[in-house]
Amino acid sequence: MQTEASRPPVQWSTRDVWLGLAIFGLLVAAAIPFAFLARSRSSELNFGLVVSLGELLLLVPVWLLTVRKYGVGWDTLGLRSFKWEMLGLGCGLMLLSLAFNLVFGLFLGLFGLRIQPDLAPIFAQLSSPWLLLVGGAVVAPIVEEIFFRGFVFAGLRPRYGWQRAAVVSSVLFALIHLIPTAIIPIFILGYIFAYLYQRSNSIWPAILMHSATNALALGAAFMVARTDFGI
C-alpha cells in the first residue's frame, strides 16, 4: 500500500468536499419534478435517461470544485493506470461481500424483507432494456466512483486518514441509494472500493468491481422479468 508521503496530493479541500455534496443535493432537489414526470409517463426512454442523468449530476460539483477551480486533470481524480493484480484482490473481496449479502438476505427474509427492491416489474414495462442496463452497469459505476472515491474519499483522506475517510464516503455512498435495507451491504461495498483505491491509487479497479456487481444484479432482474413476464 502506498504511503501518504508518496501519494500525489489533491488540491481540493475538505470544505470543497462538503460544498460539493451540498451542490449535488440542490441539483437533485431541482431535478426531482422532472424525474416524477418521466416516471408518470411510463416511458422506457425517459426512465433510462432519469437513471443516467441523475448519475451524471454527480459530475457537476466534481468538475466545478476540482477541474475548473484548481485546473487539475481527471487523472488526479483516480483515473490512472493500475497493477492488474488489484483485480484479483477486488474479486476476492467481492466474494466475501457476496457471502455476507447471502447471510444478510436470509436474515432479512425472516421478516419478509429483501436487500434490494424487485426490479423485474420495471424491466417488464420496458420495450428495450438496454438504456437502463447501460445506465446502471456502465454510467453509474464510473460516475459514482469518480464522485465518492476520486472526489469525496480523496478529499477527506488528508485530514481524517484513509480509514475514517473510507467510512465517511461509504456512509454517504450507502445513504444516497435511498434503500434502508441495503445500507449495510452498500456501505461494505463502498469501503471495499475505497480500500481498492487506497491500495492501487486508481479508481479503475473499483469501477470494474462496481460495474460487475451492478451488471449481475440488473442482469438477474432482467432474466427474471423474461421468465415471469414473458418479455
Side-chain angles (χ1 to χ4, degrees), residues 16 29-30 37 44 47 75 80 97 112-113 178 191 203 205:
D16 289 322
L37 178 62
E44 66 272 14
F47 185 77
D75 61 316
R80 309 182 184 95
S97 173
L113 301 173
L178 302 176
Y191 199 93
I203 62 172

Side-chain angles (χ1 to χ4, degrees), residues 34 107 112 182:
F34 298 98
F107 172 75

Side-chain angles (χ1 to χ4, degrees), residues 46-68:
N46 285 340
F47 185 77
L49 285 176
V50 166
V51 173
S52 296
L53 292 177
E55 293 289 344
L56 290 173
L57 287 177
L58 287 167
L59 293 183
V60 175
V62 174
W63 179 79
L64 285 173
L65 297 169
T66 61
V67 178
R68 185 175 184 275

Side-chain angles (χ1 to χ4, degrees), residues 22-207:
I23 291 173
F24 173 68
L26 291 174
L27 290 172
V28 170
I32 285 175
F34 298 98
F36 276 110
L37 178 62
R39 183 65 181 268
S40 66
R41 292 183 176 181
S42 299
S43 168
E44 66 272 14
L45 178 61
N46 285 340
F47 185 77
L49 285 176
V50 166
V51 173
S52 296
L53 292 177
E55 293 289 344
L56 290 173
L57 287 177
L58 287 167
L59 293 183
V60 175
V62 174
W63 179 79
L64 285 173
L65 297 169
T66 61
V67 178
R68 185 175 184 275
K69 184 175 181 178
Y70 297 101
V72 303
W74 290 97
D75 61 316
T76 308
L77 288 153
L79 294 171
R80 309 182 184 95
S81 60
F82 63 95
K83 295 181 179 179
W84 288 98
E85 54 261 34
M86 287 294 104
L87 293 183
L89 174 62
C91 289
L93 292 173
M94 295 305 294
L95 287 175
L96 292 176
S97 173
L98 288 173
F100 171 83
N101 286 352
L102 177 61
V103 175
F104 187 64
L106 292 173
F107 172 75
L108 290 180
L110 297 175
F111 305 95
L113 301 173
R114 54 190 303 162
I115 296 177
Q116 297 277 6
D118 186 7
L119 297 177
I122 294 177
F123 276 106
Q125 298 173 7
L126 306 181
S127 60
S128 174
W130 299 113
L131 189 58
L132 182 57
L133 288 170
V134 170
V138 179
V139 177
I142 294 174
V143 172
E144 290 179 8
E145 292 311 309
I146 290 175
F147 185 85
F148 287 104
R149 259 57 68 177
F151 175 61
V152 175
F153 169 67
L156 297 178
R157 182 172 54 190
R159 180 171 180 177
Y160 299 118
W162 83 263
Q163 293 96 336
R164 281 187 288 179
V167 168
V168 173
S169 62
S170 300
V171 167
L172 294 170
F173 177 61
L175 293 177
I176 204 172
H177 285 79
L178 302 176
I179 307 174
T181 52
I183 286 178
I184 295 176
I186 295 176
F187 170 84
I188 292 172
L189 285 178
Y191 199 93
I192 289 173
F193 297 152
Y195 179 71
L196 289 174
Y197 184 23
Q198 178 71 12
R199 285 290 303 268
S200 67
N201 199 35
S202 170
I203 62 172
W204 282 114
I207 288 174

